[in-house]
Amino acid sequence: MVIGLLILTSIPTVTGVAQAISGQKTQKEREKDAKRMKKFHIDISCEVQSTRIGEIHGKRLVLRDDRVWLGPHEALNPCSEGYVAESFYIEYPDNERVPVEIGLVTQVRDDPPLLNWIYVDKDTMELKYGNKSVSIAHHVGPWDWTEDEKGITFDGKERFTAVEDPKTHRWQIYYDMDSDGLSRYVPNSRRKMSVRLERTLIPGV
Ligand SMILES: *[C@@H]1O[C@H](CO)[C@@H](O)[C@H](O)[C@H]1NC(C)=O
């Protein structure tokens, strides 16, 4: 259970490591943490009317070259297009962030297992993944879920956008923080589509 150890020693629990140590977590808080830490794949949902919707709807997110991409439908590891994200929520350990922000963790490789944070690059608005030293200067949260616990939110909103790389025709995920179609970050000529990121719970973990 190397992964379990990694979590326990390097990342505090969702409602606060201090509370956990002082034994003040209520049963309810512990249950809430356990629910947040259930692992899920991230699948794309796109309701835009487009002839190219088949390239996007239902695709599963994979990780490659520090960035987050659309991979095959219902992809599982090992996957030739990248490491299929296996994610969960946990508090981002940074005393400078008040209130504490919930981060989005993902396993990024199997052997040896490694966990990274998914974050929004503050200079490019790309979703990226990296360890704490890489991510801390960027937008690391707050991540959350919609009321039905299906949709993933960032800062309470669902402004995720898939952007096509014109050379490879691969779609990459960005966050449209200004809600203006990423006008300051992505050339107008690139194909973009607003997408939802949805949790698909991984059975048995
Ligand atoms: C964090 O990731 C960067 C880039 O991959 C790496 O250079 C650095 O050694 C990592 N730091 C830790 C503490 O693992």
Side-chain angles (χ1 to χ4, degrees), residues 108-122:
V108 297
R109 66 170 191 230
D110 281 332
D111 192 22
L114 180 66
L115 298 173
N116 271 179
W117 302 96
I118 296 184
Y119 64 92
V120 178
D121 186 297
K122 65 178 169 49

Side-chain angles (χ1 to χ4, degrees), residues 13-15 25-38 89 145 149:
T13 57
V14 180
T15 46
K25 280 202 151 185
T26 62
Q27 178 66 19
K28 213 168 169 185
E29 280 169 336
R30 277 192 295 270
E31 279 166 16
K32 220 163 126 187
D33 282 2
K35 219 168 127 184
R36 293 277 184 192
M37 290 177 67
K38 274 196 193 309
Y89 296 99
W145 56 40
E149 302 181 6

